[in-house]
Amino acid sequence: MNLNLTKPICFFDLETTGVNITSDRIVEIAVLKVFPNGKEDRKTWLVNPGIPIPAEVTAIHGISDADVADKPTFKELANEINTMVKDSDLAGFNSNRFDIPLLAEEMLRAGIDFDMKGRVAIDVQTIFHKMEQRTLAAAYKFYCDKNLDDAHSAAADTEATYEVLKAQLARYDELENDTKFLAEFSSRKRFADFAGFIVYNKYNEECFSFGKHKTKRVEDVLNEEPGYFGWLLNADFPLYTKKVLTAIKVRAFNNKLA
């Protein structure tokens, strides 16, 4: 089954130095861009992360410091990668909780104002877990009857993710072949930021999801406790979370002036 698209969608996968969104870095990124007319473009980049790749991580994805020693940094590749994905919806496996937040961090560090306005994100893992609750290799075997021999290779994982989504659409009548539906179906909660520190309540208002101000409206907290905003900006939070907080503060200030 082919995807019903109104705009391009980029399936992508990252291999990284670890799983910390704020401190770890990308060492490989693969993108499969699918166009509404069925055309497909593929690109894979090895990336010098600028920090050592732990041996235990190399054991998982097979990429060592030597493999990326002469490769460009993400900052050097950022414009090329952004050009490929900026007009597209995004899709991946566990992408809403990891790949998109980490990609956003790398883009912001490179000076590119990355956001998801005007596009949606489909997390194939969430669809899979809601339906079957397994792993990507199991999903590939279950839906496509194929073995994922090169698991933790970004390109192989990207191709498998694309095939799994098409097979999910063919298998489940309740899934609509529509990117907005799939994005909503594959989301867990509605986040204002990628990392989940700021969530929307039932009134579509931004609220903190952690700490002493959990469930409180961000705008109220920033108004009642201005020092908390300064602490957040200086603490070890993702850059995109800080960007969202700043936008909320500016919006509240402008509303007071109006």
Side-chain angles (χ1 to χ4, degrees):
M1 177 180 287
N2 292 324
L3 294 182
N4 182 21
L5 302 176
T6 57
K7 66 189 298 183
I9 184 169
C10 284
F11 290 80
F12 79 105
D13 185 72
L14 306 178
E15 302 303 337
T16 66
T17 60
V19 296
N20 187 303
I21 292 170
T22 57
S23 62
D24 280 306
R25 300 292 187 268
I26 294 170
V27 298
E28 185 180 33
I29 176 170
V31 179
L32 165 58
K33 186 171 186 176
V34 184
F35 294 83
N37 64 4
K39 176 187 174 185
E40 299 175 2
D41 284 346
R42 293 168 173 79
K43 183 72 176 178
T44 301
W45 297 268
L46 277 173
V47 184
N48 186 332
I51 60 175
I53 304 172
E56 61 271 22
V57 178
T58 295
I60 295 173
H61 55 49
I63 302 171
S64 66
D65 290 334
D67 294 326
V68 296
D70 61 346
K71 302 302 179 184
T73 64
F74 188 88
K75 186 173 184 178
E76 293 169 324
L77 293 169
N79 284 323
E80 182 183 357
I81 296 170
N82 189 52
T83 296
M84 188 170 187
V85 306
K86 66 181 180 181
D87 64 339
S88 306
D89 293 329
L90 298 180
F93 199 84
N94 194 34
S95 50
N96 284 356
R97 292 194 296 177
F98 181 72
D99 297 82
I100 291 176
L102 185 52
L103 179 63
E105 289 299 290
E106 291 277 36
M107 287 290 188
L108 290 170
R109 277 192 289 265
I112 293 177
D113 190 19
F114 181 90
D115 62 46
M116 291 294 291
K117 292 177 182 177
R119 52 184 174 171
V120 299
I122 299 172
D123 193 327
V124 175
Q125 185 194 61
T126 302
I127 296 174
F128 181 37
H129 284 181
K130 283 187 174 182
M131 296 298 189
E132 306 295 343
Q133 300 187 357
R134 304 240 181 119
T135 62
L136 177 56
Y140 198 46
K141 182 65 176 179
F142 182 86
Y143 289 110
C144 306
D145 196 25
K146 298 177 181 178
N147 293 319
L148 185 53
D149 297 326
D150 295 323
H152 297 298
S153 158
D157 288 356
T158 297
E159 298 284 343
T161 300
Y162 177 42
E163 289 189 44
V164 167
L165 179 57
K166 291 191 292 182
Q168 286 173 331
L169 286 167
R171 175 178 287 264
Y172 303 114
D173 292 337
E174 59 265 46
L175 294 181
E176 297 178 17
N177 194 344
D178 176 82
T179 51
K180 288 185 178 179
F181 172 87
L182 293 170
E184 291 175 3
F185 189 86
S186 63
S187 65
R188 289 178 169 82
K189 290 183 179 179
R190 293 184 59 241
F191 298 136
D193 65 336
F194 295 130
F197 291 108
I198 306 170
V199 299
Y200 289 105
N201 63 18
K202 63 181 179 180
Y203 304 109
N204 207 37
E205 300 167 324
E206 299 98 338
C207 298
F208 287 110
S209 67
F210 68 98
K212 65 179 182 178
H213 294 304
K214 186 175 182 179
T215 74
K216 293 181 182 178
R217 293 198 325 151
V218 173
E219 191 170 322
D220 291 339
V221 173
L222 297 185
N223 182 52
E224 297 165 5
E225 193 178 336
Y228 193 62
F229 177 72
W231 175 79
L232 289 168
L233 291 188
N234 290 309
D236 188 26
F237 286 98
L239 294 176
Y240 195 85
T241 300
K242 295 177 181 181
K243 174 185 173 182
V244 171
L245 286 168
T246 301
I248 295 171
K249 187 175 180 67
V250 170
R251 184 187 67 202
F253 179 77
N254 289 338
N255 287 339
K256 289 182 179 179
L257 295 179

